[in-house]
Amino acid sequence: EKAEHKHYMRKEIFEQPEALGRTLAQHLGQPGLTVALPAGTAGVFRDVDRLSITACGTAYLAGLVGRYWFERYAGLPVDIDIASEFRYRDVPFRAGNPAIFVSQSGETADTLASLEFARARGQRILSIVNVPTSTMARASEIVLPTVAGPEIGVASTKAFTCQLATLACLAIAAGRERGTLSAEAEAALVRGLANTPRAMTTALELEPAVRKIAHRVAAFRSALFIGRGTSYPLALEGALKLKEVSYIHAEGYAAGELKHGPIALIDKDFPVVVIAPGDASFEKTMSNMQEVIAREGRPILITDQKGASLAPQGRWETLVLPTMPAICAPLVFALPLQLLAYHAALALGTDVDQPRNLAKSVTVE
Ligand code: M6R
């Protein structure tokens, strides 16, 4: 089945428009203009003072994007942590607050243990899982399924974007419930989300350009990924994907942190992936890119048409996506990052679907 694609990772990357369409259909109401969550979710965000999100790896990074959305659209403070930390912290819980757990497999040991930890402290348990029969799904009060289909490649790709779509729908539903989102604002967000599969298809057409860049990146030992706002967790995800499948050392940073340390690394042998849609933080991210240019680093700008028209000269490479609503950007910008990791791995001859030392599902602590 993967024959046409050579690897599951590529197959799963290219399945994303369809997988996302399925996941959105699961969470959006029929006319396509409202979010319709499963029975049992009504009221879960209404009288609460905070929300926790817990997960591991890529699922945790999806949660980090989710935090921006819950705070922006629902005015709900979010406490987010990695499962292997969360379960050992002395978290001051307030009974009845919602706790969201995100997992592709639904079997990750630390995430499961965190779920039980939160449940024992009176939290309402919601899980975003891709395997509906998993232990996590069975242990949750409310299950929000991602309908990505089986993910075989060890690197999470389509599960990640379907987790993002589900978190976006939940944040919108929370905003409606808490009265922080007008009907018009909700309809605009939902329209944006509904167009995401199409924008993803356009993003996938950039593969030949991404492949060329990946070959250039593969010549270096390290890479840095930077972004602001929801592009910051994406920078972390781009770095995770690259190191996981190509074994190139990569780090993700909030662009504003560059000056606080990592800039010391920049020289002519350092590719820096700058994730910057033409949004409110674009100019600030561009001044960080200028700092890289001034030190002869090699910025690879991933932006949209709006950003491309405003970006300064001196870039090493540029990838241009269509301009899209802010809520879609993390879902669509994830695709060139996945393709970059995939093609860098191919260039270096690593085992893309089964990287060394990694398991698809981490069922031990
Ligand atoms: O099955 P889960 O989503 O709970 O797995 C969590 C992480 O192990 C997983 O996302 C891991 O980081 C991936 N290999 C990343 O590509």
Side-chain angles (χ1 to χ4, degrees):
E1 216 201 325
K2 68 171 192 205
E4 175 206 343
H5 291 282
K6 269 184 50 200
H7 298 101
Y8 282 112
M9 185 176 175
R10 185 172 185 278
K11 173 175 177 278
E12 289 160 3
I13 291 173
F14 276 79
E15 277 171 0
Q16 286 176 105
E18 209 191 312
L20 202 87
R22 276 198 305 270
T23 298
L24 287 172
Q26 174 90 24
H27 304 308
L28 298 182
Q30 263 322 307
L33 289 180
T34 54
V35 171
L37 295 178
T41 40
V44 76
F45 299 112
R46 195 173 303 135
D47 301 313
V48 302
D49 65 353
R50 51 194 313 117
L51 154 76
S52 73
I53 304 180
T54 309
C56 297
T58 287
Y60 162 72
L61 299 176
L64 270 187
V65 177
R67 171 167 68 183
Y68 288 83
W69 289 332
F70 277 104
E71 295 183 347
R72 182 175 307 154
Y73 303 127
L76 190 54
V78 175
D79 182 18
I80 170 151
D81 209 348
I82 293 163
S84 57
E85 289 298 320
F86 178 77
R87 55 184 289 206
Y88 300 114
R89 279 168 53 210
D90 299 312
V91 182
F93 289 105
R94 190 182 106 172
N97 274 351
I100 301 180
F101 298 86
V102 188
S103 176
Q104 188 285 128
S105 63
E107 303 296 344
T108 301
D110 280 314
T111 312
L112 260 171
S114 295
L115 187 157
E116 296 304 340
F117 173 80
R119 197 223 305 272
R121 286 156 186 81
Q123 305 302 285
R124 293 190 70 183
I125 309 297
L126 289 83
S127 65
I128 297 178
V129 288
N130 196 43
V131 180
T133 52
S134 60
T135 315
M136 219 175 286
R138 281 182 277 119
S140 303
E141 180 188 338
I142 299 164
V143 181
L144 286 306
T146 50
V147 205
E151 193 182 64
I152 313 287
V154 164
S156 181
T157 53
K158 60 177 179 170
F160 175 65
T161 45
C162 289
Q163 286 159 355
L164 289 179
T166 306
L167 284 160
C169 289
L170 264 184
I172 294 170
R176 182 176 56 207
E177 203 165 275
R178 296 167 65 79
T180 50
L181 210 54
S182 66
E184 301 78 68
E186 176 178 353
L189 290 169
V190 169
R191 262 196 311 275
L193 283 176
N195 280 324
T196 310
R198 205 169 318 140
M200 283 182 155
T201 304
T202 311
L204 292 171
E205 288 164 8
L206 291 175
E207 188 184 30
V210 181
R211 185 172 169 276
K212 197 182 116 229
I213 296 172
H215 279 248
R216 298 189 83 179
V217 170
F220 297 97
R221 292 171 58 87
S222 300
L224 196 63
F225 290 70
I226 59 170
R228 283 173 186 261
T230 53
S231 299
Y232 161 47
L234 267 194
L236 299 176
E237 170 63 4
L240 174 59
K241 217 92 293 175
L242 185 67
K243 69 186 135 199
E244 189 175 28
V245 299
S246 77
Y247 316 149
I248 294 172
H249 168 239
E251 282 191 74
Y253 258 94
E257 276 288 294
L258 202 60
K259 283 199 251 354
H260 298 278
I263 201 162
L265 296 166
I266 307 295
D267 63 12
K268 64 174 183 20
D269 295 323
F270 221 101
V272 181
V273 179
V274 182
I275 305 162
D279 60 15
S281 52
F282 182 76
E283 256 181 64
K284 290 244 154 57
T285 311
M286 286 307 97
S287 58
N288 302 124
M289 190 173 81
Q290 293 282 25
E291 293 159 9
V292 173
I293 294 170
R295 283 152 192 89
E296 297 182 344
R298 296 171 186 268
I300 300 162
L301 175 63
I302 307 185
T303 187
D304 55 21
Q305 279 147 357
K306 185 171 169 214
S309 67
L310 301 168
Q313 297 303 307
R315 289 161 265 149
W316 191 44
E317 290 284 358
T318 307
L319 280 173
V320 185
L321 293 155
T323 302
M324 64 198 89
I327 196 163
C328 311
L331 292 89
V332 180
F333 277 64
L335 275 47
L337 297 172
Q338 297 165 351
L339 285 170
L340 182 71
Y342 174 74
H343 284 289
L346 244 57
L348 293 167
T350 55
D351 186 345
V352 189
D353 285 335
Q354 284 287 336
R356 66 186 181 202
N357 310 337
L358 292 175
K360 180 65 185 161
S361 162
V362 182
T363 53
V364 291
E365 295 176 16

